[in-house]
DNA sequence: TTAGGGTTAGGGTTAGGGTTAGAGCCGGTGCCCTGCT
């Protein structure tokens, strides 16, 4: 222990060329090295990845990093390889089957692997991992467990079982935003109630908030035009609909001269997404009209404006999205354009996010019918088609059914009593989740209509204290557009930059020189 | 000559039909797999 403590700075210098640790890093690394499970909530840009990359380098054994996006894994691996760390790999569906098999067979030669929660459920990979010494199990962007696990990506909820199967390695869950509620959800899902919490504040003192109520979308567009005619700064506009993002991008392109506008959402080809992201990072695009798909892993420091054309579904999401402004600490603004009709779309999304009671009945009926045939046919994906379930709804059911032992290895196990219990349990989960989401939306709507300080109301339920604003506070505290004089973006900075820096920028997707 | 690299498509999804007028009825988030030149 003492030995480690003395040498950590040296290791940081040797492997990452930094002289000192940033806030929280050293404490987390010491905990991890001592074999303690840690939940680390560190502000974005504070170098979360050092917290596991340093231990991975100096310790024996393998470090597994569960990452939500392939693009994030690829970024990280590129950066590490650029610093001459070769024993690292991202395993995902972009790899050919041959390539993947090779990695599986040589797992013992790696010190750090990045993998999605879905792939971690595959028996072949799991079996290989069980044969080697897994030292550290990291969940990057751990809020995904809570945010996506329950309905969208249930494999996030299976991580605790995986950790047990891997002989309980040390667990490190990292995120930039997690409310106390999300924190306990993460610890519950991982079945690690005794995790050490290393929580650092997430309020942003350099972001001012403006709330503007308008009567319809036309007025919102007019407001956008007027804002962008005054300010020439890198900006994101968030939408809850892909179509609205595309349409608005096209309107802005027509009506704003000298401004490069693009849209970005999850329905686009991967290649286009990467290209848009790159152009924005390099200041070749000024404004991105996007859905919530745009965000994780974007580390552009000089975004000055985050505009919400639609309200987000939760305040947590708002904090994450608005938090992408002013990473460089300079004065930035979050604007929310609100009209009374705006609750309709989020309501639709919440109502359709989970299957309803009819779907539940149908699934049970269908499975019962099959289980009564002599051969107990395996459950196959036909069920989606038969019962007209969408993919996410079926994934939700499948997770729940497996959890209750109704499906085992794709075979139906019929036990009348267990099924009754399972039915009521799943029914309750659906109700509770929907109610939870409705409450979260209600919080957003209350915040939007609040007359109090927006900063205070936004942060106070998430952390015990919050800092005073560095520049201006919010529209409820008297801040108006006239007060805002953002620093001008200077596109020539990039052109004059040192050639090594520019080359690095080109080679490292989504990142500048900072390891994050 | 062959292996490896590169590009590309589509699947997991939705949907309704007017005569009794009267104005916006809106759908987010990602993996993985198969098969193609």
């Amino acid at each position: 222990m003492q030995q480690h403590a003395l040498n950590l700075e040296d290791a940081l210098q040797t492997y990452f060329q930094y002289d000192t640790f940033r806030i929280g890093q050293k404490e987390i690394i010491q905990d991890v090295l001592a074999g303690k499970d840690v939940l680390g909530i560190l502000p974005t840009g504070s170098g979360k990845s050092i917290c596991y990359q340093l231990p991975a380098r100096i310790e024996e054994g393998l470090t597994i990093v569960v990452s939500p996006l392939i693009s994030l894994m690829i970024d990280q691996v590129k950066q590490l390889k650029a610093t001459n760390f070769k024993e690292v790999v991202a395993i995902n569906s972009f790899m050919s089957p041959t390539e993947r098999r090779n990695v599986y067979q040589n797992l013992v030669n790696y010190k750090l692997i990045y993998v999605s929660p879905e792939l971690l459920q595959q028996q072949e990979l799991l079996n290989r991992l069980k044969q080697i010494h897994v030292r550290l199990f990291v969940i990057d962007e751990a809020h995904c467990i809570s945010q996506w696990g329950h309905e969208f990506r249930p494999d996030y909820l299976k991580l605790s079982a995986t950790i047990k199967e891997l002989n309980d390695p040390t667990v490190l869950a990292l995120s930039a935003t997690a409310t106390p509620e999300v924190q306990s959800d993460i610890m519950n899902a991982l079945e690690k109630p005794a995790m050490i919490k290393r929580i650092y504040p997430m309020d942003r003192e350099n972001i001012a908030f403006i709330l503007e109520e308008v009567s319809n979308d036309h007025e919102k567009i007019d407001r956008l035009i007027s804002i962008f005619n005054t300010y020439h700064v890198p900006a994101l506009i968030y939408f809850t609909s892909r179509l609205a993002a595309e349409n608005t991008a096209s309107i802005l392109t027509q009506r704003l001269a000298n401004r490069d506008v693009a849209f970005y959402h999850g329905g686009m080809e991967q290649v286009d997404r990467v290209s848009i992201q790159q152009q924005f990072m390099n200041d070749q695009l000024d404004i991105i009209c996007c859905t919530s798909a745009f965000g994780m892993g974007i580390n552009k420091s000089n975004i000055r404006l985050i505009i919400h054309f639609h309200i987000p579904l939760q305040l947590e999401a708002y904090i994450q999205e608005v938090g992408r402004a002013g990473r460089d600490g300079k004065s930035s603004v979050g604007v929310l354009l609100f009209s009374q009709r705006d609750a309709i779309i989020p309501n639709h999304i919440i109502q359709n996010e989970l299957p309803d009671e009819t779907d539940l009945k149908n699934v049970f009926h269908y499975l019962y019918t099959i289980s009564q045939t002599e051969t107990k046919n395996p459950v196959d994906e036909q069920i989606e088609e038969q019962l007209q379930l969408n993919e996410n709804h079926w994934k939700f059911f499948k997770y729940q059914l497996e959890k209750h032992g109704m499906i085992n290895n794709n075979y139906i196990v019929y036990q009348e009593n267990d099924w009754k219990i399972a039915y009521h349990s799943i029914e309750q989960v659906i109700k509770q989740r929907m109610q939870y989401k409705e409450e979260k939306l209600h919080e957003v709507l209350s915040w939007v209509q609040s007359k109090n300080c927006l900063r205070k109301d936004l942060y106070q339920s998430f952390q015990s204290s919050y800092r005073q604003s560095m520049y201006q506070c919010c529209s409820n505290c008297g801040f108006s557009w006239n007060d805002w004089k953002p620093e001008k973006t200077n596109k020539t900075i990039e052109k004059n930059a040192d050639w090594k820096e520019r080359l690095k920028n080109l080679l490292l997707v989504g990142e500048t020189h900072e390891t994050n």
Side-chain angles (χ1 to χ4, degrees), chain A residues 263-277:
Chain A
F263 60 84
Y264 183 106
H265 56 66
M268 293 162 62
E269 292 293 330
Q270 194 72 21
V271 187
D272 297 330
R273 290 175 65 163
V274 171
S275 152
I276 298 289
Q277 187 180 326

Side-chain angles (χ1 to χ4, degrees), chain A residues 193-393:
Chain A
M195 281 182 120
I196 294 178
K197 287 192 188 182
R198 297 276 181 198
I199 315 288
Y200 297 88
M202 60 185 167
D203 58 314
R204 299 286 307 282
E205 52 204 336
N206 62 319
I207 301 178
F209 297 91
I210 293 187
L211 226 152
E212 290 188 17
E213 184 165 348
V214 294
S215 41
N216 55 42
D217 284 2
H218 290 304
E219 270 186 46
K220 287 185 183 177
I221 303 265
D222 291 340
R223 285 300 299 134
L224 294 180
I225 302 290
S226 145
I227 291 168
F228 287 116
N229 276 332
T230 316
Y231 298 104
H232 201 312
V233 291
L236 296 180
I237 312 175
Y238 275 100
F239 298 80
T240 38
S241 138
R242 295 172 177 180
L243 190 64
E246 289 194 17
N247 291 343
T248 309
S250 121
I251 294 171
L252 292 183
T253 304
Q254 287 164 19
R255 289 180 59 185
L256 290 170
N258 309 321
R259 215 60 64 89
D260 297 306
V261 187
F263 60 84
Y264 183 106
H265 56 66
M268 293 162 62
E269 292 293 330
Q270 194 72 21
V271 187
D272 297 330
R273 290 175 65 163
V274 171
S275 152
I276 298 289
Q277 187 180 326
Q278 278 301 298
Q279 291 176 58
F280 185 60
M281 299 293 293
N282 298 329
D283 290 321
Q284 292 157 334
L285 285 171
D286 307 296
I287 304 167
I288 310 282
C289 297
C290 57
T291 62
S292 57
F294 196 75
M296 261 194 287
I298 309 278
N299 206 0
K300 181 175 168 63
S301 64
N302 64 343
I303 303 176
R304 293 277 162 265
L305 255 178
I306 307 281
I307 302 177
H308 279 76
F309 194 94
H310 291 139
I311 54 168
L313 275 75
Q314 304 187 358
L315 286 181
E316 284 91 332
Y318 185 73
I319 289 176
Q320 271 172 18
E321 287 162 5
V322 83
R324 296 190 179 114
R327 293 270 169 84
D328 55 8
K330 291 177 181 158
S331 176
S332 307
V333 171
V335 189
L336 201 149
L337 301 174
F338 175 68
S339 82
Q340 289 297 334
R341 310 179 55 78
D342 285 356
I344 297 174
I345 298 178
N347 262 324
H348 270 275
I349 292 175
I350 290 171
Q351 296 307 320
N352 293 310
E353 193 165 23
L354 285 177
D356 59 22
E357 210 181 323
T358 314
D359 296 323
L360 180 62
K361 277 182 188 153
N362 288 344
V363 166
F364 269 68
H365 181 73
Y366 184 85
L367 294 181
Y368 177 75
T369 313
I370 295 179
S371 75
Q372 294 310 296
T373 64
E374 275 179 28
T375 47
K376 299 225 170 171
N377 294 327
V379 179
D380 55 31
E381 305 301 327
Q382 296 289 326
I383 194 168
E384 285 181 53
E385 203 181 316
Q386 289 280 329
L387 299 181
Q388 303 203 315
L389 289 171
N390 76 38
E391 187 208 358
N392 288 339
H393 288 180

Side-chain angles (χ1 to χ4, degrees), chain A residues 143 146-148 150-151 177-179 181-182 185 240 292 308 310-322 336 346 349-350 353 433-445 447-448 458 462:
Chain A
H143 58 277
S146 176
Q147 197 172 302
W148 286 352
H150 298 286
E151 37 277 305
T177 346
T179 61
E181 208 174 14
V182 173
D185 198 21
T240 38
S292 57
H308 279 76
H310 291 139
I311 54 168
L313 275 75
Q314 304 187 358
L315 286 181
E316 284 91 332
Y318 185 73
I319 289 176
Q320 271 172 18
E321 287 162 5
V322 83
L336 201 149
I349 292 175
I350 290 171
E353 193 165 23
R433 285 304 295 175
M434 197 170 283
Q435 195 184 347
Y436 172 78
K437 296 275 172 147
E438 283 166 355
E439 282 164 14
K440 298 312 271 181
L441 178 60
H442 187 74
E443 279 178 15
V444 178
L445 293 170
W447 182 69
V448 163
L458 183 62
F462 298 154

Side-chain angles (χ1 to χ4, degrees), chain A residues 37-147:
Chain A
D37 301 323
V38 183
L39 172 63
I41 312 295
L42 296 173
T44 321
S46 61
K48 280 190 288 297
S49 48
I50 298 268
C51 297
Y52 60 84
Q53 287 174 356
L54 185 65
R57 287 195 157 193
I58 63 180
E59 291 261 303
E60 291 295 316
L62 178 71
T63 295
I64 298 175
V65 183
V66 178
S67 173
L69 302 182
I70 295 175
S71 60
L72 288 184
M73 304 180 200
I74 293 174
D75 281 1
Q76 294 273 333
V77 170
K78 267 189 185 168
Q79 282 175 52
L80 286 166
K81 291 206 165 153
T83 65
N84 228 14
F85 185 34
K86 305 292 183 205
E87 301 142 303
V88 54
V89 68
I91 309 176
N92 53 53
S93 60
F94 278 26
M95 276 183 155
S96 73
T98 331
E99 225 178 331
R100 209 192 284 182
R101 190 137 299 130
N102 277 339
V103 173
Y104 284 3
Q105 279 162 4
N106 295 305
L107 271 182
V108 73
N109 297 324
Y110 292 98
K111 293 197 71 88
L112 190 56
I113 64 166
Y114 286 86
V115 70
S116 67
E118 287 81 5
L119 215 48
L120 211 44
Q121 289 310 312
Q122 292 191 355
Q123 208 53 47
E124 189 186 356
L125 176 58
L126 197 59
N127 288 341
R128 292 277 178 185
L129 287 171
K130 278 154 88 173
Q131 289 164 10
I132 58 179
H133 171 48
V134 177
R135 168 68 181 84
L136 179 61
F137 191 96
V138 183
I139 302 104
D140 198 14
E141 308 287 354
H143 58 277
C144 292
I145 294 177
S146 176
Q147 197 172 302

